[in-house]
Amino acid sequence: MRRALALGLILAVVPAAAAATARERQVAGPISSVAVAGTDVSYADEYRHGCHEVRLWNVATRGDRRLASHCFVSTSTGSGVAGVIATEGRALWLTYTGGNIREWSLWTKGGLAKAKRLAFLPADVDGPPPVILGSVWEGSLPYATGRTIVVLAPNGSRRFSFTASDPVVYLSAHSRGYAAVLENGSVLTFSTGGRLIRERTFAPGAVQAAVLAAPGLIVKTAAGLEIHSAAPTQNYPLPRNARFLGYSQGLVAYGLGRELRLRQLRNGHDTLFRRLEPRFHAQLGRRGLAYASGGTLGFSVWAMVSAAS
């Protein structure tokens, strides 16, 4: 009886506490990118026609500040901020503009310093971006240009760089290190210090995303998730066309159409977390889940995310 009463009190208190620490707000314009690392939520929005800004929202202090703004003249193929990541006050972001030839720029800013352009790369408008921002984790800012992988520290220094055998199509930082998916199908894993651990071979295009976490190398394929470690490979199916939006502590976030969903790998329990606009943005981190839909920006702390799943 006492145990049942105690469990009931826990179940009553946890959702209430989680709800109290949830955040959701409206921003100036439609959001084109969002990422989370620790309590830093970075995002980009179009605050007026043709003008885009990169902002950093600290969900612990509730402070929100503009890091940079970019205003573009009208072009036939559009312009804007294609992605942004941040950790410990430093951000990396990618802008684009142009017509038949699209001009891409990679920027960084930390502290009170001015924004600095790290790379300027023209590319065919129908081709993929020449710069890839990695999925961010606390303390690391990964990006890739072609075959070159670079990881920056929060102070702006280069933590390490590596030249792969083929162009990088996906890159991530996570709790146990880094993972890079190459165009030829290979997946490279690196230690937190940047040492190459292993190269695994898959069919070209088979792996859509990869993270190096506590269970091992987690790869997302068309069929779902695979965990590669010293033990036999474990397979976890996901719905077709699911978008991988992050892994933390046995929980996977993924997008399916307008649905932001959570799945516990341990028991397969699958939950609808939010219904949002098509092609919404979201990322699951160690401390919570950030999401953006139109002009709505949200963050749910880990206690709330875990309780909802």
Side-chain angles (χ1 to χ4, degrees):
M1 180 67 179
R2 290 180 179 176
R3 183 179 179 184
L5 179 59
L7 180 59
L9 289 173
I10 290 172
L11 291 175
V13 170
V14 168
T21 50
R23 309 274 189 270
E24 193 167 284
R25 49 196 283 262
Q26 297 299 308
V27 302
I31 298 170
S32 60
S33 176
V34 70
V36 62
T39 58
D40 281 336
V41 174
S42 52
Y43 66 99
D45 70 327
E46 187 174 12
Y47 64 97
R48 69 170 185 259
H49 182 68
C51 290
H52 304 256
E53 61 183 351
V54 175
R55 302 191 68 94
L56 188 59
W57 177 32
N58 187 306
V59 295
T61 65
R62 305 195 184 195
D64 188 305
R65 62 190 178 98
R66 179 188 285 185
L67 299 179
S69 62
H70 301 271
C71 293
F72 304 95
V73 298
S74 178
T75 63
S76 58
T77 55
S79 56
V81 178
V84 57
I85 56 176
T87 182
E88 297 179 25
R90 174 168 294 276
L92 277 176
W93 68 94
L94 187 61
T95 63
Y96 66 95
T97 187
N100 294 332
I101 298 298
R102 182 167 280 175
E103 298 172 345
W104 296 85
S105 295
L106 177 67
W107 305 83
T108 188
K109 177 180 171 63
L112 300 177
K114 292 183 178 180
K116 177 182 178 182
R117 183 157 61 183
L118 298 179
F120 174 79
L121 296 167
D124 188 90
V125 69
D126 296 321
V131 182
I132 291 176
L133 292 182
S135 175
V136 70
W137 195 254
E138 294 167 61
S140 294
L141 294 165
Y143 71 92
T145 56
R147 298 187 299 118
T148 303
I149 298 166
V150 179
V151 177
L152 298 184
N155 64 6
S157 65
R158 183 172 290 197
R159 183 157 284 165
F160 78 91
S161 62
F162 182 87
T163 301
S165 60
D166 222 41
V168 178
V169 297
Y170 185 89
L171 180 63
S172 71
H174 210 274
S175 55
R176 295 301 172 91
Y178 307 90
V181 182
L182 308 186
E183 195 172 80
N184 63 11
S186 296
V187 178
L188 309 180
T189 51
F190 301 87
S191 69
T192 54
R195 177 181 60 86
L196 178 64
I197 298 173
R198 183 170 176 177
E199 178 174 355
R200 288 179 169 85
T201 302
F202 299 83
V207 177
Q208 301 167 0
V211 296
L212 187 61
L217 175 65
I218 303 173
V219 300
K220 165 67 171 65
T221 69
L225 298 176
E226 299 175 5
I227 298 182
H228 297 264
S229 64
T233 301
Q234 302 171 65
N235 295 278
Y236 300 91
L238 287 176
R240 190 170 183 82
N241 299 323
R243 292 188 292 132
F244 179 74
L245 299 174
Y247 167 88
S248 185
Q249 302 176 56
L251 184 64
V252 171
Y254 70 95
L256 189 65
R258 301 181 61 162
E259 297 180 352
L260 173 55
R261 303 192 67 89
L262 303 171
R263 177 167 293 192
Q264 289 280 2
L265 295 187
R266 173 176 47 84
N267 55 19
H269 188 247
D270 196 287
T271 307
L272 172 63
F273 188 75
R274 288 284 192 283
R275 190 179 298 276
L276 304 167
E277 293 189 1
R279 298 305 298 178
F280 62 86
H281 306 279
Q283 185 186 354
L284 177 64
R286 182 175 69 89
R287 297 194 180 187
L289 175 62
Y291 57 92
S293 176
T296 300
L297 178 65
F299 177 79
S300 295
V301 296
W302 179 256
M304 182 176 184
V305 175
S306 181
S309 64

